[in-house]
Amino acid sequence: MQPLIDNARTFGQRPEEFAKLAEGQSPQVLFITCSDSRVVPALITGARPGELFELRTAGNIVPPYASEHPTSEAATIEYAVEVLGVSDIVVCGHSHCGAVGALVRGDDLDAVPAVRDWLAHATPRPTGAAEDPAVAEGVRGHVLTQLLRLRSYPFIEKKLKERQLTLHGWYYEVHTGAVQEHRADTDTFEAL
């Protein structure tokens, strides 16, 4: 913890670098990814403060849209699209994902009921080789499921029809740093 505290102390000693951020934000991209500490969107993309609007959830799950009982995730997505006017949404899954791995293996999550109930939103359950520690196949399929889920949000469906929004599915390898993007024309994940 001490190195983090030390950096935080010196971070605010350069106010001139951050003054423009007080004027507001206008990110072009909503980046939806896992809460995993090994996934750092700004590091992966090279984004500077104000360039990415981030949504981090266990397993990069996009919950079903429900206007009568909105989730914080749906509110974040709606704010990014309707208020900030992002033009792109990236759903980025990653190798060695604990959430997707638990789903692929069918782990008993009764000891962590909040996690179990949150992961229930990942329907259909991701499939893949349970013995693969990277759970690559399961994560890639899970990313595509989340993109489909996003398409069911009414405001996203509208923006897609108006060609004001583009969705992207990414797969990040934590062990190599490589990023792949889903290509709709070939239905494969290929290097960016």
Side-chain angles (χ1 to χ4, degrees), residues 176-191:
T176 67
V179 179
Q180 299 172 348
E181 180 176 31
H182 181 257
R183 309 270 188 214
D185 57 337
T186 60
D187 195 26
T188 59
F189 281 81
E190 299 176 19

Side-chain angles (χ1 to χ4, degrees), residues 15-183:
E16 66 283 353
E17 293 180 35
F18 300 99
K20 285 192 82 67
L21 296 176
E23 298 171 13
Q25 62 175 326
S26 57
Q28 298 302 302
V29 178
L30 168 60
F31 200 91
I32 301 172
T33 195
C34 187
S35 304
D36 191 298
S37 63
R38 299 167 294 178
V39 180
V40 183
L43 183 63
I44 295 168
T45 63
R48 302 284 302 147
E51 292 180 342
L52 286 180
F53 198 69
E54 296 181 25
L55 173 58
R56 307 219 22 187
T57 70
N60 55 271
I61 292 174
V62 175
Y65 181 78
S67 60
E68 62 278 354
H69 298 290
T71 63
S72 65
E73 295 80 16
T76 299
I77 295 165
E78 182 179 65
Y79 186 81
V81 171
E82 298 289 28
V83 177
L84 296 176
V86 299
S87 57
D88 293 272
I89 299 176
V90 173
V91 174
C92 182
H94 67 94
S95 68
H96 303 85
C97 181
V100 173
L103 291 167
V104 167
R105 292 185 302 271
D107 291 355
D108 179 0
L109 299 173
D110 287 342
V112 283
V115 173
R116 179 198 60 217
D117 294 349
W118 172 252
L119 295 183
H121 288 297
T123 54
R125 194 174 101 193
T127 60
E131 66 279 358
D132 175 13
V135 290
E137 180 185 346
V139 170
R140 289 182 185 118
H142 179 66
V143 165
L144 297 179
T145 300
Q146 302 320 296
L147 290 173
L148 285 174
R149 180 77 53 77
L150 280 171
R151 291 177 177 277
S152 72
Y153 282 47
F155 55 91
I156 289 182
E157 180 184 40
K158 178 178 180 281
K159 295 285 186 183
L160 289 170
K161 284 181 182 175
E162 295 170 350
R163 299 187 186 276
Q164 295 178 350
L165 185 65
T166 304
L167 303 180
H168 308 269
W170 287 12
Y171 172 73
Y172 171 66
E173 289 184 332
V174 298
H175 56 290
T176 67
V179 179
Q180 299 172 348
E181 180 176 31
H182 181 257
R183 309 270 188 214

Side-chain angles (χ1 to χ4, degrees), residues 1-11:
M1 184 69 186
Q2 193 58 49
L4 301 175
I5 292 169
D6 293 342
N7 189 67
R9 284 183 180 137
T10 60
F11 193 72

